[in-house]
Amino acid sequence: MQSGIGQGAGRLESFDVIVAGLGAMGSATVDHLARRGAKVLGIDPFDVPHDAGSSGGETRLIRKAYFEHPDYVPLLARAYENWLSLEAEVGEQLLYRTGTVYIGDPDGELIRGSRLAADEHDLPLVALDDRALADVHPFLRCPEGYAALFEPDAGFLLCERAIAAQVRRASSHGATLLSGERLVRFSSTGGDAGVEVVTERRTVRAGALVVTTGSWAPALLASLGLSLRVTRQPLFWLPAPAGFELGSVPCWAVQRPEAPGLFYGFPALSDGLGSNAGIKLAHHHPGEVADPDAPRLPATARELASLLGAVAPFLPALAGPALRSKVCLYTNTPDGHFVVDRHPGQRGVVFACGFSGHGFKFASVMGEALADLALEGHSDLPIGFLGLR
Ligand SMILES: Cc1cc2nc3c(=O)[nH]c(=O)nc-3n(C[C@H](O)[C@H](O)[C@H](O)COP(=O)(O)OP(=O)(O)OC[C@H]3O[C@@H](n4cnc5c(N)ncnc54)[C@H](O)[C@@H]3O)c2cc1C
């Protein structure tokens, strides 16, 4: 996949903004900055996109009836707009509005929270009885005591392709993007002189620095005392029974009262969209603590068995063995909400971290907000509830 990213060489002069980390959030940020005419440098130790952090595995759910908190909904509305304009400009579909079915305890967080967000923001969200559920997703079951909802605007994003598209657009607007380059330390030079950024290869100056280093943020932002916890998150691709193809079924998410988090899955993608045949299945809940620099332990048969056991009452057609698996990383805050702000002790430094396993869908709007913070010192986007305070 073309990312438009280069290997660092030669001397680099100073920049308006340096963005450290070109995953979901950083690639969106360099894109917004470059399109506003800023002189921007983006750096990442890996070739972009890659699957060493939080943004691998082909697909990410996107939805608007946000059970986590209705305050996210205006940001999501803007995120959708930004994804659509990116698609239009790069000429590639990145967002698939398959709709998503939510099944859970009628009084549980998923059903209650989705309804609350939909009511507050007047979003389409349809209650499904057994018959309607069978029409929408013939393989899903809503056991006794559960409720089912359908959000037609929800669906999924192709995550690596979205990052590649953001990086391509940033490059085409003049951003300098370097792989093989790691932010080692930074310091505000005080006053209006900006920020001095030290990588393994050079020292560079910029008016502002944006730190979007995902699971590597806890060490770089330790002075903020944020209590970020990096965890290991297995993903599985299962054999797809006939009828599970994209276009035939929506995405789905299930919450069980006796188990933490959400179990969720996607339609099976065709060869042209991803390298993985099969249905992607995962558990949205912080897993075991992980070191992002340590070798990644592969997903296990036990993890798959426990996942299949949890979803069996809802999707009895799913079965192993898995065709493929992968392990990604979450960076969790104690309350699961993101932290996006200016660094209180380092003038000119802006950061976004702690996306707690649900940040990807927001990348296109986070990039806009981070570009605002870096260039203007504030953003009109409603990100106040994600600030350090
Ligand atoms: C299994 C799984 C499933 C998920 N499902 C969903 C979903 O369905 N919907 C959703 O919205 N979200 C989902 N998420 C969450 C979402 O993917 C993340 O919130 C998002 O990808 C985080 O983006 P990021 O830019 O913070 O991190 P990343 O994309 O990991 O980017 C961080 C970047 O920083 C770079 N870096 C590291 N150290 C340095 C350094 N010192 N200097 C410079 N660069 C550095 C890394 O190489 C990396 O490229 C999921 C996450 C996982 C793991």
Side-chain angles (χ1 to χ4, degrees):
M1 194 176 286
Q2 274 295 316
S3 68
I5 200 164
Q7 288 284 334
R11 270 187 73 233
L12 288 169
E13 67 282 38
S14 62
F15 290 85
D16 294 330
V17 186
I18 296 174
V19 178
L22 297 174
M25 308 303 159
S27 63
T29 308
V30 289
D31 179 26
H32 281 276
L33 287 166
R35 286 185 297 123
R36 289 186 204 179
K39 188 174 175 197
V40 55
L41 169 67
I43 58 172
D44 200 292
F46 294 93
D47 284 336
V48 176
H50 63 85
D51 62 4
S54 301
S55 298
E58 287 180 356
T59 45
R60 291 291 184 269
L61 293 179
I62 180 163
R63 53 198 161 83
K64 276 190 198 158
Y66 220 59
F67 75 85
E68 289 88 341
H69 202 289
D71 284 358
Y72 284 99
V73 177
L75 290 174
L76 285 162
R78 183 67 177 166
Y80 268 74
E81 281 173 22
N82 288 349
W83 289 123
L84 293 179
S85 75
L86 175 65
E87 280 187 334
E89 210 171 305
V90 300
E92 185 183 351
Q93 187 172 2
L94 303 166
L95 195 166
Y96 288 75
R97 290 190 206 220
T98 56
T100 298
V101 176
Y102 308 120
I103 298 182
D105 175 348
D107 296 320
E109 196 191 5
L110 174 64
I111 298 296
R112 225 173 2 93
S114 302
R115 281 203 168 111
L116 178 71
D119 287 348
E120 255 185 48
H121 294 278
D122 203 17
L123 301 172
L125 189 68
V126 184
L128 301 176
D129 58 19
D130 284 352
R131 197 194 196 120
L133 177 61
D135 283 346
V136 171
H137 195 317
F139 302 97
L140 260 179
R141 304 282 172 267
C142 182
E144 184 77 35
Y146 282 82
L149 300 173
F150 180 63
E151 185 180 5
D153 269 352
F156 68 87
L157 289 155
L158 293 175
C159 45
E160 289 97 336
R161 287 189 185 207
I163 290 174
Q166 293 179 143
V167 159
R168 258 191 341 263
R169 190 163 65 165
S171 288
S172 74
H173 284 84
T176 303
L177 304 176
L178 303 177
S179 60
E181 193 101 9
R182 181 187 300 270
L183 171 65
V184 176
R185 62 180 181 277
F186 55 87
S187 57
S188 175
T189 47
D192 289 330
V195 185
E196 189 170 275
V197 171
V198 179
T199 78
E200 283 159 330
R201 297 184 182 189
R202 66 196 104 225
T203 299
V204 202
R205 287 233 166 168
L209 166 70
V210 181
V211 180
T212 45
T213 49
S215 296
W216 291 264
L220 285 164
L221 299 174
S223 64
L224 295 174
L226 279 176
S227 172
L228 298 170
R229 202 163 59 96
V230 176
T231 55
R232 173 189 171 283
Q233 306 294 145
L235 292 167
F236 296 92
W237 282 263
L238 300 176
F244 261 98
E245 302 79 23
L246 175 62
S248 306
V249 289
C251 301
W252 55 273
V254 162
Q255 188 165 54
R256 304 189 56 154
E258 66 279 21
L262 290 184
F263 303 93
Y264 66 96
F266 300 78
L269 303 192
S270 65
D271 284 351
L273 288 182
S275 52
N276 303 298
I279 297 165
K280 193 175 112 180
L281 179 69
H283 184 193
H284 171 51
H285 179 69
E288 292 161 19
V289 170
D291 171 355
D293 291 317
R296 199 89 22 102
L297 295 176
T300 65
R302 226 174 97 206
E303 285 168 329
L304 174 60
S306 124
L307 200 45
L308 283 171
V311 301
F314 308 88
L315 270 161
L318 292 188
L323 301 169
R324 190 161 167 253
S325 64
K326 187 184 270 291
V327 173
C328 269
L329 299 173
Y330 278 7
T331 308
N332 304 282
T333 57
D335 63 4
H337 294 297
F338 318 151
V339 193
V340 182
D341 212 334
R342 296 188 299 164
H343 195 301
Q346 298 269 8
R347 190 176 165 143
V349 177
V350 168
F351 64 91
C353 62
F355 285 93
S356 306
H358 62 115
F360 196 92
K361 61 184 86 57
F362 293 89
S364 63
V365 67
M366 283 300 148
E368 184 176 359
L370 290 166
D372 290 342
L373 293 179
L375 294 177
E376 318 289 344
H378 67 92
S379 178
D380 291 337
L381 288 162
I383 53 167
F385 74 107
L386 302 173
L388 272 173
R389 289 200 193 115

